Amino acid sequence: MHVPVEFFRRIASAAAQETLPRFRRFGDILNKVEGGFDPVTEADREAEQAIRALIKAEHPGHGILGEEFGAENATSDHVWVIDPIDGTRSFISGVPLWGTLVGLTHKGDAVAGMMAQPFTGELYYASAGEAWLEGPEGDRQRLSTRRTTGLDQATLCTTTPALFQGDRRVAYDRLETAVRMPRYGTDCYGYAMLAAGNVDLVVEVGLQSYDIVALIPIIEAAGGMITEWNGGPAEEGGGIVAAATPELHAAAMEMLHAGRSDPVG
């Protein structure tokens, strides 16, 4: 299904009206996890409600899955998957490495998606096999990954190595040692930078579907490759390996699973 960029722009604008006035303001922060820290803010909730209202008005028969308000009409062939603020920790810290993610699946496959960063005025989106960036001045450019094939030339992004546990931490450390440069704390922005040709790898663990569905079409339409750690589809989240080229993806997977007869995780 083709999603017009105009609809993505409307979603991005509606979400921004809820997020930007609350960014770098000291609003209430709630914790969703007992014994840990999984923050949610008023901006998360209000932005998701605004996005849901637009989708329901435009596509009343479609399903919706959102981080804050769960699933509606989840058996529909078409389901919109929403993370109103991916990178809430960055958001509450005043760091602009967060974004609004909205993706569309058709029978479980991610077919279109957007990542909007309203503070920087950027909209990354993909539909019908093309990926684009629109900047704050209205400029528009086609997204294309770098042609990096070797780990020794690659820049790797992850949110934090602290999220990797057990065998996966060992595997991640092995991969990080092999790349040219690691960068931390990027959340969804790292995937956008991969699609834009600024970095080469993003490796994560513990993602939910709403963390990744919107980004899959952007990566793939830009020429990259993205899978779960086991090599399967990434739509359900879990451990994610995204790479600028199939060759680099294969090299990263080999490094992650080196010395094992069974895949890690």
Side-chain angles (χ1 to χ4, degrees), residues 92-162:
I92 65 177
S93 302
V95 177
L97 294 179
W98 54 275
T100 295
L101 299 179
V102 179
L104 175 64
T105 63
H106 177 248
K107 296 183 178 179
D109 294 330
V111 295
M114 56 157 270
M115 192 287 275
Q117 214 312 321
F119 188 76
T120 60
E122 295 171 305
L123 175 63
Y124 298 81
Y125 64 91
S127 183
E130 295 184 354
W132 296 88
L133 163 63
E134 292 190 354
E137 304 302 323
D139 50 314
R140 184 170 180 259
Q141 67 182 64
R142 186 81 174 260
L143 294 174
S144 180
T145 60
R146 283 200 288 224
R147 296 294 88 197
T148 306
T149 58
L151 292 174
D152 61 341
Q153 295 299 309
T155 297
L156 165 68
C157 289
T158 195
T159 299
T160 169

Side-chain angles (χ1 to χ4, degrees), residues 147-225:
R147 296 294 88 197
T148 306
T149 58
L151 292 174
D152 61 341
Q153 295 299 309
T155 297
L156 165 68
C157 289
T158 195
T159 299
T160 169
L163 293 174
F164 297 87
Q165 302 295 321
D167 288 346
R168 286 199 168 189
R169 180 57 188 266
V170 174
Y172 172 79
D173 287 346
R174 187 167 55 239
L175 176 63
E176 183 180 294
T177 301
V179 302
R180 180 171 63 180
M181 180 173 66
R183 301 300 300 161
Y184 304 149
T186 51
D187 291 296
C188 61
Y189 209 79
Y191 295 91
M193 292 301 94
L194 173 58
N198 295 303
V199 306
D200 307 289
L201 280 169
V202 183
V203 177
E204 305 262 45
V205 290
L207 299 192
Q208 302 297 320
S209 58
Y210 46 73
D211 295 315
I212 198 65
V213 161
L215 299 163
I216 295 171
I218 298 173
I219 296 293
E220 293 181 339
M225 184 172 182

Side-chain angles (χ1 to χ4, degrees), residues 3-170:
V3 178
V5 62
E6 179 271 337
F7 187 54
F8 281 144
R9 291 187 190 119
R10 286 166 53 202
I11 290 174
S13 176
Q17 289 177 41
E18 304 298 339
T19 57
L20 274 184
R22 297 175 171 95
F23 184 49
R24 295 181 176 172
R25 303 292 188 271
F26 298 101
D28 291 337
I29 301 168
L30 301 178
N31 182 19
K32 296 189 287 186
V33 175
E34 185 176 350
F37 185 55
D38 187 10
V40 61
T41 69
E42 182 180 60
D44 291 89
R45 295 190 296 267
E46 294 302 319
E48 183 169 322
Q49 293 285 42
I51 295 167
R52 283 174 176 264
L54 277 176
I55 292 171
K56 289 177 183 178
E58 191 82 10
H59 301 287
H62 288 190
I64 299 175
L65 172 64
E67 179 177 11
E68 307 305 334
F69 296 100
E72 298 180 56
N73 193 22
T75 59
S76 172
D77 283 351
H78 292 91
V79 176
W80 295 84
V81 184
I82 305 166
D83 191 344
I85 300 178
D86 182 81
T88 301
R89 289 173 177 80
S90 290
F91 183 88
I92 65 177
S93 302
V95 177
L97 294 179
W98 54 275
T100 295
L101 299 179
V102 179
L104 175 64
T105 63
H106 177 248
K107 296 183 178 179
D109 294 330
V111 295
M114 56 157 270
M115 192 287 275
Q117 214 312 321
F119 188 76
T120 60
E122 295 171 305
L123 175 63
Y124 298 81
Y125 64 91
S127 183
E130 295 184 354
W132 296 88
L133 163 63
E134 292 190 354
E137 304 302 323
D139 50 314
R140 184 170 180 259
Q141 67 182 64
R142 186 81 174 260
L143 294 174
S144 180
T145 60
R146 283 200 288 224
R147 296 294 88 197
T148 306
T149 58
L151 292 174
D152 61 341
Q153 295 299 309
T155 297
L156 165 68
C157 289
T158 195
T159 299
T160 169
L163 293 174
F164 297 87
Q165 302 295 321
D167 288 346
R168 286 199 168 189
R169 180 57 188 266
V170 174

